[in-house]
Amino acid sequence: MNLEDYRGIWVYIEVKDGNVAPVSLELLGAGRMLADKRGTELGGVLIGSGVKPLATTLFAYGADVVYVYDDPIFEHYRTEPYMRALLDCCHKHKPEVLLYGATPTGKDLASAIATDLPTGLTADTTILDIEEDTGLLLASRPAFGGNIMATILCKKYRPQMATVRPKVMKALSPDPARTGRIIEEQIELHEEQMRTKVLEVVRETVKKARIDEADIVVAGGKGMGSKEGFQLIHELADVLGAAVGASRDVVEAGWIDHHHQVGQTGVTVTPKIYFAIGISGAIQHIVGMQNSELIIAINKDPNAPIFQACHYGIVGDALEIVPLLIKRLKEELPKLNASADAKEEIRHA
Amino acid sequence: MLHIVACIKQVPDTKVAKINPKTNTIDRASAPAILNPYDAHAVEEAVRLKKRYGGVVSVLTMGPPPAVKAIRKCIELGADEGYMISDRAFAGADTLATSYALAKALEQIAKQRPIDLIICGKMTIDGDTGQVGPGIARRLDIPPLTGVNKVVEINKEKGYAIVHRKLEDGYEVVKSTLPCLFTVEKEINDISFAPLPNMIKAARYHPTIWTADDLENVDRKQLGLKGSPTIVSKIWTPPKPKGGELLEGTTEEKVEQLLSIVLEKKELFQS
C-alpha cells in the first residue's frame, strides 16, 4: 500500500427521511478543518435513492466534491448494497481519511468497510486532529468506561477511519453560494442477490421530549439514593417541561430505561440547560453533555468531577435541594407566563 | 436443530475499575473480571431460541486462561458447549485482528457442527466499539444485523430469520438469509436466573481450548498486535476544565440563586 496515493478527507453522508442527517453536517465542519490543514479536498459520499439534489446542501456546509450513488436499491439502509457502493468509491478515489457518524447506521457501515478494505477504525471519537505534514489522523476517544482518553493512530493503512459522536463536532454556518463538483457513480447491484430485505420501518411516536432534542434536560445519578429518590428527577423535569436524563450506573441499576442514558454509550445532548443531579461526572458522562449551553450541577461530594464541568454548582444534598427547587419553580414559573401574556395583550391593544 | 454460537468476552468491570494515576493504565487488581453484560443478553437470547426451536448453543471467547470463568457463566445461563482461543499470539488485538481470530475459530467450530446463527452483544464495556460483531460477519461473508432488539422468527428449513433492528426513533423489520449474525441490544431480554443443575454443570465445565496452532489456515500476520492497524499512541487524563461557580449560603439561599439563574432563560418557559 502506497500511502501517497491516498488524498482527501471524506465524510460518509447519512440520509434520513430524505434529508442529510445533522451528524453528517457536523462532520463536514470537522472535515473542513482537517482538509484545510492538509491542503486537500473535502469530499462527501452520498448513497441513497433520489438523493442527488442533497449535494447542494453538502457544498453549502463545506464539501468540495460529492460522490453520488443514486439508485432505488439504496432505498433503505442495508449493510450489503451500501458497503458495496462505498467500497467501490474508496477503491476508485482513495481517500486518506473517512469519517462516519457514530449512529447505528454509521457504525454498522464503518465496521463492514474496515474489515473489507482492510483498515483501522476508531469508534466514538470525540476529538479529531491531523498532522499537517504526515497526514496522520489523531482520533481521541474516552477509554476504559470513560475514565481516561486515548489517542488512536492508524499509521500503515489507508483510509484512516473513525466514527464520530453526533453533536460533538460543530457544523459550519451554511454558505448557499458555495459550489463544488458532483461525481456520479454507478455500481451493478441486483436486488435478487441481496441477502437482507427491509420489510417495514416503524417510527415510534415518542410521547415525551426526546433527550437529544429537548431544550432542558434534568439528569439524575446514583446520588438520588434509590429508585424512589430518582422520582424527584421526574418531578423536576415535569415542572420545567424537560426531558429526563440519567447516568450509566442508574440505568444499570434499573432505575430508568436506557433510552435516557446520557454519555458515551448513551445519547449525546446539547440542551440550553442541563441539570446534573447526584451525578459524579465520569468523563464518559461529561462527553455526552459538555456542549450544553448552561450546566448546573448538584452533588453532595465537593470533589466530584462534575463541578469541574459545570457553569454553576451547588454542594449539597439533592434530596433536600430538589424538592425546594420544585416548590419555588411552581410558584415562579406561572408568573413568567402571566407577564408574557400581559405583554402580548399590550402589543395587540 | 439450530446451532447458535454466542461470541462473548470477559471484561474488567469498568464501573469499579481504578486508574493508576502514575501510569494512566487500568489497575486490573481493582476491577473484578465479569462476563460482558451485553454478551450475557446474547447468550440469554441464544438459549431462548434454543428453547423455542430446539438446538445447541455454543459460546466462543478469546482471552487469557482466566476467561474460562466467563464461559462457565454462560453454561450457567444455559449454553451447552464452550470454546476458547487462548494464545499470546492473539494478545494486543484491535477489533480487526479480533474479528479475524474469532472468525477462524468459528470456521473450526462449524466443521464439527454447521452454524446457523451467531449472536454477539452490542459492544463490550471495556472497548465500547461494537465493531467486532459486524467484523466477524464480514469475515465469514454472512449478513450482519446490528442492533437487534427482537427476534420475530427463525426458519431453518426455509433458511431465513426475521428480526427487529433498533433505529434512533423506532425500529425496522428485516428479513435475512441464514446463516447470519446478530448483535443484540440489552432490551432484547431479561437475564433469567440460572437453575441449580446448570450451576453444577458450570462449576465442573472445561471448555475446548485452542491455541493459534490449533486453528487451520491461520495467517499469523493478521493476529494480535501484528494484525492490528490501530495503535493507542497516548493515554491521557483530559485537562480539567476550570470549573463552575459554586453557589454559597444556606440551602434556601442556594436555591434562590439557582432559581434566578434558571429563570434568566425565561424564553424556555413562556408558552
Side-chain angles (χ1 to χ4, degrees), chain B residues 42-207:
Chain B
V43 176
E44 174 75 28
E45 195 59 25
V47 171
R48 288 182 185 213
L49 290 172
K50 175 181 82 170
K51 284 180 187 156
R52 206 158 126 192
Y53 297 107
V56 174
V57 171
S58 304
V59 293
L60 167 66
T61 195
M62 175 170 95
V68 167
K69 266 185 68 182
I71 290 187
R72 293 206 173 110
K73 181 74 197 167
C74 298
I75 301 289
E76 280 185 20
L77 293 172
D80 303 293
E81 316 259 355
Y83 297 85
M84 176 157 115
I85 54 172
S86 192
D87 194 313
R88 292 186 72 90
F90 300 132
D94 72 356
T95 54
L96 193 76
T98 300
S99 70
Y100 178 74
L102 289 172
K104 285 290 160 195
L106 286 159
E107 284 171 3
Q108 196 108 327
I109 294 171
K111 274 181 205 149
Q112 302 172 10
R113 186 184 283 128
I115 300 170
D116 303 294
L117 178 64
I118 299 167
I119 308 186
C120 303
K122 176 191 179 177
M123 61 165 80
T124 59
I125 60 165
D126 59 343
D128 271 354
T129 71
Q131 292 168 190
V132 172
I136 292 170
R138 285 306 310 143
R139 301 273 187 197
L140 299 174
D141 193 22
I142 59 174
L145 298 166
T146 52
V148 171
N149 57 11
K150 187 181 177 180
V151 179
V152 179
E153 186 189 355
I154 306 277
N155 191 323
K156 183 170 172 165
E157 284 66 43
K158 294 187 178 155
Y160 68 82
I162 298 176
V163 299
H164 289 185
R165 276 189 73 221
K166 186 178 173 179
L167 302 174
E168 284 155 307
D169 55 355
Y171 63 91
E172 62 181 14
V173 187
V174 186
K175 183 174 180 179
S176 169
T177 55
L178 287 176
C180 60
L181 179 143
F182 303 162
T183 72
V184 296
E185 300 282 335
K186 268 184 168 179
E187 73 245 35
I188 193 166
N189 54 42
D190 294 317
I191 308 287
S192 315
F193 285 103
L196 190 61
N198 286 13
M199 296 177 78
I200 294 167
K201 183 183 171 196
R204 295 174 183 156
Y205 190 77
H206 294 285

Side-chain angles (χ1 to χ4, degrees), chain A residues 122-241:
Chain A
T122 302
D124 288 298
T125 307
T126 57
I127 303 172
L128 279 174
D129 202 356
I130 197 161
E131 284 183 7
E132 257 171 73
D133 44 345
T134 61
L136 199 59
L137 184 74
L138 312 170
S140 302
R141 66 180 304 249
F144 285 125
N147 299 307
I148 44 176
M149 294 289 291
T151 305
I152 315 279
L153 310 178
C154 173
K155 288 186 173 167
K156 294 180 185 156
Y157 294 77
R158 293 292 180 274
Q160 307 167 85
M161 305 210 304
T163 63
V164 182
R165 270 276 150 144
K167 299 205 170 193
V168 174
M169 305 293 162
K170 286 248 177 337
L172 303 171
S173 2
D175 173 2
R178 265 191 109 257
T179 56
R181 287 177 292 132
I182 294 181
I183 299 180
E184 289 187 62
E185 297 284 357
Q186 244 146 35
I187 179 171
E188 188 122 335
L189 292 172
H190 301 285
E191 186 55 50
E192 59 278 11
Q193 290 163 358
M194 297 297 121
R195 294 177 293 183
T196 56
K197 198 170 181 60
V198 176
L199 304 178
E200 192 187 356
V201 177
V202 181
R203 303 275 183 216
E204 275 163 353
T205 45
V206 186
K207 275 174 250 142
K208 293 225 170 182
R210 282 179 46 183
I211 61 169
D212 56 342
E213 288 169 359
D215 279 336
I216 308 175
V217 173
V218 179
K222 265 293 172 72
M224 300 314 293
S226 63
K227 196 170 181 173
E228 291 66 40
F230 197 83
Q231 286 310 309
L232 282 173
I233 298 293
H234 289 283
E235 278 177 45
L236 179 57
D238 278 348
V239 174
L240 290 166

Side-chain angles (χ1 to χ4, degrees), chain B residues 254-269:
Chain B
K254 286 177 189 166
V255 168
E256 286 311 310
Q257 291 172 63
L258 180 54
L259 196 66
S260 58
I261 292 163
V262 171
L263 294 184
E264 257 176 50
K265 302 229 173 207
K266 55 177 181 289
E267 73 282 359
L268 295 178
F269 307 106

